[in-house]
Amino acid sequence: MAVERILEYMRERQPEIVEQIRALVEIESPTASKTGVDRVVDAVTAAASGIAEVRRYPQAEHGDHLRLEFDIPTRGDGQVLALGHLDTVWPLGTLERMPWRVKESRLWGPGVFDMKAGVVYMLFAARALRDLGLRSRRRFVAQLNSDEEIGSPSSTRLTKAEARRSAAVLVAEPSFGLEGSLKTSRKGGASFWIEARGVASHAGLDFESGASAIVELARQVRRVSAWTNLDRGVTVNPGVFRGGSASNVVAEKAAAHVDVRFQTKGQASDITRRFRELEPLDARCEIHITGGIGKMPMERTDDVIRLFRLAQSISAEMGVGLGEAAVGGGSDGNTTAAMGIPTIDGLGAVGEGAHALHESILIDRIADRAALMAGLVHRL
Ligand SMILES: [Zn+2]
């Protein structure tokens, strides 16, 4: 019953929801522009005034981060955390060539899908629960970060602190595919530098006394590349390889930068250990490993499955099918999932083209997605 009322509420307010999305999309907010991101922070603060207690975490380098504690009817038994970000990957000036548009039953514009619509859904989810007087068990808090697109260097600490107090984390990042599937597992990632140091010598006059760092590094790269296991979702990509000084010199130095992706925490620690244990293949060379894990994977645990099933049943009450997907890229959801807090991701808009020129969302999926967020807070 409650879900039907929420859906009805969202349908009635759809023009307002679209207007709010437009307002946020029309403020350009690349992560690198503190001024731009702070303007979105201002706009969200204004939109949340009267429905949330707003706490702003000022940042020197990045945009400020926001915590909204919504004023909804609640027994106050713990909290549910909605997670999102206000920065985009689009540089200033993008609106000129990619302006806000409503056409072909979609909303278009930089950041509309990733993830300004998702932020607006949080605001309207809170409005619906308030206006309909629907009592939830837990408090409803939203954490909106301003540096997610560069790996959340300044916000991760806040995200962790908030997640620690939460029974569940609902990440309103873009959904997967045009059906709007949730993301129930995300790969984690690591990055390693392998530096090799050999012994330089003249390639013509004194070849035997040299030990090539390039040859050593090439052998190491072959070794680590063999750790790729596509069936298990592990990939090892040496994306950068540099070394040497001239063709007639046996190279003294070489370095490779290797990107690693994995699906489980076990794989993450296994691969880290293997990198750390690498030894030179030519005893005259030295190798030096730096780097490590950037994001832990979001694993599809029993808690995640339970949360997904709840979302699925709420969607079903609205007559909408809901699928799930495993994806490669990470989000702040990886951080909260790795802490063992039940997390589902991809609850935001249904559309396509995150970080791409055709970034857009489906208008006829606005109401049910905003309602899904409200329904989850109500039921959790
Ligand atoms: Zn995003």
Side-chain angles (χ1 to χ4, degrees):
M1 290 305 288
V3 172
E4 283 166 30
R5 288 175 64 203
I6 294 169
L7 181 61
E8 188 60 32
Y9 178 97
M10 296 302 181
R11 286 203 175 121
E12 280 168 14
R13 277 157 188 80
Q14 189 160 305
E16 263 180 81
I17 299 175
V18 170
E19 202 41 40
Q20 184 68 66
I21 296 171
R22 183 188 65 76
L24 298 190
V25 170
E26 290 197 326
I27 304 170
E28 296 188 314
S29 58
T31 320
S33 167
K34 174 169 171 60
T35 320
V37 180
D38 281 347
R39 283 180 60 215
V40 181
V41 173
D42 293 340
V44 172
T45 302
S49 85
I51 61 163
E53 188 185 303
V54 180
R55 179 153 177 210
R56 186 164 176 151
Y57 299 98
Q59 302 296 310
E61 195 182 333
H62 302 101
D64 296 344
H65 308 308
L66 268 189
R67 177 188 191 270
L68 309 176
E69 181 164 342
F70 294 108
D71 180 16
I72 60 165
T74 171
R75 288 195 351 236
D77 187 4
Q79 71 178 33
V80 172
L81 180 64
L83 201 52
H85 62 88
L86 300 172
D87 58 325
T88 74
V89 294
W90 297 103
L92 296 178
T94 299
L95 275 172
E96 276 175 42
R97 61 189 177 106
M98 230 176 113
W100 165 264
R101 280 140 23 248
V102 182
K103 65 162 197 190
E104 293 159 6
S105 310
R106 295 186 185 195
L107 308 180
W108 304 71
V112 66
F113 184 44
D114 187 10
M115 54 160 280
K116 289 176 172 174
V119 171
V120 173
Y121 297 171
M122 295 176 195
L123 298 172
F124 277 83
R127 283 187 185 282
L129 296 172
R130 270 170 67 90
D131 292 351
L132 299 172
L134 293 169
R135 183 169 296 278
S136 301
R137 179 173 160 201
R138 305 179 195 279
R139 295 188 308 275
F140 179 22
V141 173
Q143 171 77 35
L144 302 174
N145 297 327
S146 284
D147 58 356
E148 195 274 344
E149 294 290 4
I150 55 165
S152 306
S154 66
S155 59
T156 296
R157 192 179 52 82
L158 297 169
T159 301
K160 282 186 174 171
E162 214 53 71
R164 208 165 282 129
R165 290 193 281 272
S166 304
V169 178
L170 310 174
V171 187
E173 287 276 2
S175 61
F176 180 82
L178 285 173
E179 303 296 314
S181 295
L182 299 192
K183 297 167 178 175
T184 50
S185 76
R186 276 183 183 270
K187 282 190 182 181
S191 165
F192 295 94
W193 278 98
I194 309 173
E195 287 170 275
R197 182 175 281 261
V199 180
S201 69
H202 192 294
L205 300 176
D206 195 21
F207 180 83
E208 310 89 284
S209 65
S212 171
I214 288 180
V215 172
E216 172 67 22
L217 186 64
R219 296 171 74 193
Q220 297 289 351
V221 162
R222 280 195 65 172
R223 179 148 86 172
V224 303
S225 299
W227 298 340
T228 290
N229 185 332
L230 295 178
D231 293 339
R232 297 217 165 133
V234 177
T235 58
V236 179
N237 178 55
V240 177
F241 191 111
R242 293 192 191 114
S245 53
S247 70
N248 62 353
V249 177
V250 174
E252 188 192 1
K253 287 184 199 167
H257 196 184
V258 185
D259 173 289
V260 183
R261 310 277 166 138
F262 36 77
Q263 244 160 7
T264 67
K265 281 189 212 175
Q267 291 167 344
S269 53
D270 179 51
I271 215 125
T272 304
R273 182 183 50 75
R274 290 210 229 172
F275 267 94
R276 301 259 175 245
E277 287 176 3
L278 284 175
E279 299 242 335
L281 291 155
D282 179 335
R284 296 172 299 164
C285 294
E286 285 172 22
I287 58 167
H288 186 58
I289 308 292
T290 50
I293 294 167
K295 276 219 189 304
M296 289 301 278
M298 176 179 151
E299 294 187 58
R300 189 176 179 277
T301 60
D302 289 347
D303 278 343
V304 169
I305 295 167
R306 223 170 289 134
L307 204 45
F308 170 69
R309 298 266 178 254
L310 176 63
Q312 206 173 31
S313 75
I314 293 169
S315 288
E317 286 179 51
M318 298 188 277
V320 177
L322 187 66
E324 60 176 317
V327 296
S331 82
D332 285 336
N334 291 52
T335 303
T336 62
M339 295 167 64
I341 315 292
T343 300
I344 42 174
D345 202 338
L347 280 162
V350 180
E352 64 180 334
H355 304 193
L357 289 169
H358 61 296
E359 179 165 9
S360 54
I361 70 167
L362 307 186
I363 293 174
D364 67 1
R365 296 298 307 276
I366 289 175
D368 76 87
R369 292 310 271 224
L372 176 58
M373 176 64 69
L376 279 165
V377 173
H378 180 56
R379 293 272 170 87
L380 273 165

